Each structure stands twice: as C-alpha cells, then as structure tokens.
Amino acid sequence: MRQIRILAIADMDNAARLETILDHENVNRMALLAPEKMNLERAASLPVDAAVLCTTTLNEQECQFLEQLFLIRADLAMIVLCPTLDTRIMERAMKCGVVRVINYNTKPEDICALMEQEINRLRNRQSNVRVKDYDSRVVAVMSAKGGTGKTTIAVNLAIALQKAGKKVALLDLSLEFGDVGIFLNLPKCEGISDLAGEDKIKASTASNYLFRHASGVMVLCAPASPEYAELVHPEQIERIVTVLRAEYDYLIFDLPAALNNDCSLAAMEQADDIFVITTPEIPALKNTKICLEVLKTLDYSQKVKLILNRDGESYISLKDVENALSLKPVLTIPSDTKSCVSAINRGIPLVTASPHSKASRAIINFATKEI
C-alpha cells in the first residue's frame, strides 16, 4: 500500500499531538509547519497529497493560512483535526476549502482511513473533470559534452514558459547524475525510478511523483542514486511521456551528455524538438559536430535545433560557429557567468534570480516568442 504524503500544520500547542496522530505506517509526514504566512511558499512546493491542520479553535490566523494555501494548491485534500465538531468550526473550515473535519480523539488508524478516503475522492473528482486536453510540445535538451550549460537552459526554459502562462513539466532524464533538483533547490523526493516501478503508469499515478516547484513547474526528478538508473527502461519513458503530454502544454527533458543511452533515444523519439547546446570552444564544437551527424543518421535532423550558450566568452564568433556546424542557432545566449553561477549556487533559476540579466532576457524572449 502506498503511503499518503501529509503536510502537517500546527502551532506549538498542537504540534506534539499532531505528530502522534500521524505516526502511522501508512502516513509519510513530509513536513510540519506552523500556520504562518512565511511558510506558505514552502507549503506550496511540497509533494504532498493532503494538508492536515491540528487545532483547538480554528482561529483567524489558521483560517487565513488554509484559505491562502487552498488558492495556490487546489490539488490538496485540506483536512482539519479538532477536539469537537461544532457548527462554528465546521462552517469556518468549509469556507477555507477544507474537505473534512475530524475529531482528533478518533483512533489514529481511523483518522488515516478517513484522510485516504478524502485524498482518493479528490483525485477521482479531478480526473473526471478535464477542462482541456493539451496539445503538448515535447522538447529535449541535450549536449555532446558536459559543462555547456545544458541543465541551466532546460531549467530556465521551463520556468520562463511557466511564467508565460504555460503548463510545464520538467523531466530529469539524466538518470545517473541528474542535477535538476539541485538547480531548483528541491528536497530529496521520489522520482522517475519510483514512478517506473509502478505496475500501471496513469496520469493520476504520475502526478504522485511530480514535485511542484514554487514557480508552478512540475518536476520529475532523476533517481536518488546512480544505481537506480537501471530500473528505468525505454518503454517506461514512452509511457510516462504519453501520459504527461495529455496534461501539459510543454514537456521539457534534460537529457545526459551522451547518445549511447536507450532511454535518451526513446525520449528523443518522443520529442518534437531536440535542442543541442554548444559553447564557443573548440572541443565543444568538435563534439557537437559529431553529435549532429549521429542525429542525422538517426533521422532526427528535422527536430534538431542549435542553441549557442556563452556567446562572447571566447574569440570564436557566432559566424564561426555557424560555419563550423553548418547550422544557425535558434537561440544565442550571451555569456553571463557571474549571474549563472550565483543562481546555481543559490538553487534559484536564473530567470527568477536575475530576470534582467542578458542571459535571462535571451531565454525569456525565446520562450515567449519562438519556442
């Protein structure tokens, strides 16, 4: 039985009681937060199924927290635990988007069963009410050599598209050494190897493994350790993409810097665009030229688009790159090392940390006008 993932919410007086109630084998308490405004951003990004508030009176501060959380996380089953089920508490709770009020003196196993019931009810309701089917665009981001800024570009394209009003999922398909989670400062969480272990991969199943970043981008992280990469197979990649592309405007893949991976080839087969990242350096250009030839052999030429990163960093000009690769970049990103390194070290996407930097402006303009 899969554990239900809970965001626990309580003030100091009720925290110990809530921890005791949630100390159950079927419950995975992801975090315990006080119902304070400063905790909303973290609450918004946690990969949880339900938010459970333990309270004595359901005061104004707790109501405001629940109401604001409901506005940004309508996908959560909001549950209140309290000592009495009086009319005042019930009315206040329902106005905040709470789906169930439970007496916290109920047996913990019964509370767990009721929480799971509400989580399943919400999932069923959401799966039955489909507002639209997305005509997704699937974009694979790759490079022939490490250190070209591939992950930086994949992450920031995803964020820029989300900011432009698109619904975006970012998949870290660098299965052995994926860094998307680090670039976005995500906590360790279940990822693609866990999803691949499911008997049936459906939209409702996949959503359990996607981490909601504060930007709104949904992230499927790489395996927690390199040895788990072998648990993911090409047919599972195909199934995951088939399921997710019906839910999102854009799927962005961050692929490893290699072409000898069956899962990468499966992802490229599913992609509408393959963005090959290069930099104005002789080794990078040499490897990129070989990569482009291989992609041509695989009959992917129509999908391939070149992105030149760190333009202006060396004596090799844009024209030199075009001549060397016989391909004109669809996006040229100016060299902006200081801003990029600072953003990576802080775990904040460049387009968020430094939206007016030269590199950010290039990515944002491309995401909103070209892609």
Side-chain angles (χ1 to χ4, degrees):
M1 179 180 177
R2 176 180 165 78
Q3 287 185 316
I4 55 175
R5 301 168 300 177
I6 300 296
L7 164 61
I9 307 167
D11 58 21
M12 291 182 62
D13 295 333
N14 289 291
R17 175 182 286 110
L18 184 55
E19 286 186 304
T20 300
I21 292 171
L22 297 180
D23 185 17
H24 190 278
E25 61 180 0
N26 292 337
V27 174
N28 181 2
R29 180 173 62 79
M30 303 293 288
L32 173 60
L33 303 179
E36 299 172 358
K37 187 175 181 180
M38 63 181 182
N39 290 327
L40 274 170
E41 184 174 347
R42 187 181 177 203
S45 64
L46 287 169
V48 293
D49 305 305
V52 179
L53 170 73
C54 186
T55 182
T56 305
T57 61
L58 193 57
N59 59 41
E60 188 63 30
Q61 180 179 344
E62 292 168 335
C63 284
Q64 288 180 3
F65 186 89
L66 289 177
E67 188 172 0
Q68 291 176 47
L69 181 59
F70 176 73
L71 291 174
I72 56 179
R73 288 296 302 272
D75 60 310
L76 295 185
M78 308 261 285
I79 296 167
V80 167
L81 304 180
C82 60
T84 58
L85 304 184
D86 65 63
T87 304
R88 186 190 66 85
I89 288 180
M90 298 282 283
E91 289 180 353
R92 299 192 78 182
M94 299 310 165
K95 288 179 181 179
C96 299
V98 172
V99 295
R100 190 73 174 255
V101 179
I102 305 171
N103 188 316
Y104 62 47
N105 295 310
T106 304
K107 291 180 181 180
E109 57 267 30
D110 292 337
I111 292 176
C112 179
L114 290 170
M115 290 192 300
E116 185 173 18
Q117 183 181 98
E118 294 303 333
I119 290 167
N120 291 334
R121 182 175 291 147
L122 179 63
R123 285 179 184 163
N124 291 336
R125 187 162 61 244
Q126 290 175 335
S127 64
N128 289 333
V129 181
R130 296 291 299 275
V131 176
K132 64 174 285 190
D133 285 327
Y134 288 90
D135 182 17
S136 292
R137 193 145 194 89
V138 180
V139 176
V141 181
M142 65 166 298
S143 65
K145 183 179 182 298
T148 61
K150 167 184 64 68
T151 300
T152 293
I153 292 170
V155 165
N156 283 281
L157 271 178
I159 301 295
L161 285 165
Q162 185 76 31
K163 286 179 178 291
K166 305 300 182 181
K167 189 177 181 183
V168 183
L170 174 61
L171 284 64
D172 192 343
L173 299 185
S174 186
L175 300 177
E176 293 183 333
F177 299 104
D179 287 330
V180 166
I182 292 175
F183 277 58
L184 292 173
N185 195 26
L186 303 183
K188 286 187 177 180
C189 56
E190 295 172 306
I192 190 168
S193 56
D194 302 287
L195 174 56
E198 292 281 357
D199 292 334
K200 293 183 179 180
I201 299 175
K202 301 183 293 185
S204 57
T205 308
S207 66
N208 293 330
Y209 296 92
L210 289 165
F211 189 101
R212 182 187 178 92
H213 182 254
S215 64
V217 171
M218 302 300 290
V219 184
L220 184 61
C221 291
S225 188
E227 62 266 26
Y228 297 135
E230 64 185 28
L231 300 176
V232 185
H233 305 292
E235 60 272 16
Q236 293 165 327
I237 296 289
E238 293 171 2
R239 181 59 184 156
I240 290 169
V241 174
T242 299
V243 165
L244 292 181
R245 74 181 303 159
E247 305 290 327
Y248 294 89
D249 295 310
Y250 283 91
L251 301 185
I252 308 293
F253 303 155
D254 182 23
L255 299 182
L259 285 172
N260 59 351
N261 182 304
D262 288 342
C263 288
S264 294
L265 293 174
M268 286 190 286
E269 182 66 31
Q270 296 283 314
D272 298 302
D273 299 300
I274 301 173
F275 289 158
V276 180
I277 316 301
T278 193
T279 54
E281 302 163 338
I282 296 298
L285 293 175
K286 185 264 291 184
N287 286 356
T288 300
K289 189 172 184 64
I290 295 172
C291 175
L292 292 174
E293 290 171 355
V294 172
L295 292 174
K296 183 177 181 180
T297 301
L298 294 170
D299 199 26
Y300 291 153
S301 294
Q302 296 300 316
K303 299 181 179 184
V304 172
K305 296 177 181 178
L306 183 67
I307 293 179
L308 175 63
N309 193 23
R310 301 177 193 148
D311 182 41
E313 194 171 67
S314 76
Y315 67 87
I316 299 175
S317 67
L318 173 59
K319 192 65 177 176
D320 293 331
V321 171
E322 293 177 6
N323 290 337
L325 301 179
S326 302
L327 190 62
K328 183 176 181 179
V330 295
L331 169 61
T332 300
I333 303 173
S335 180
D336 201 349
T337 304
K338 184 177 179 180
S339 296
C340 289
V341 171
S342 174
I344 292 169
N345 289 338
R346 293 165 62 194
I348 302 175
L350 178 65
V351 296
T352 301
S354 302
H356 302 297
S357 69
K358 293 180 181 178
S360 289
R361 289 202 303 269
I363 294 171
I364 292 170
N365 288 339
F366 180 71
T368 54
K369 297 178 182 178
E370 304 292 339
I371 191 171

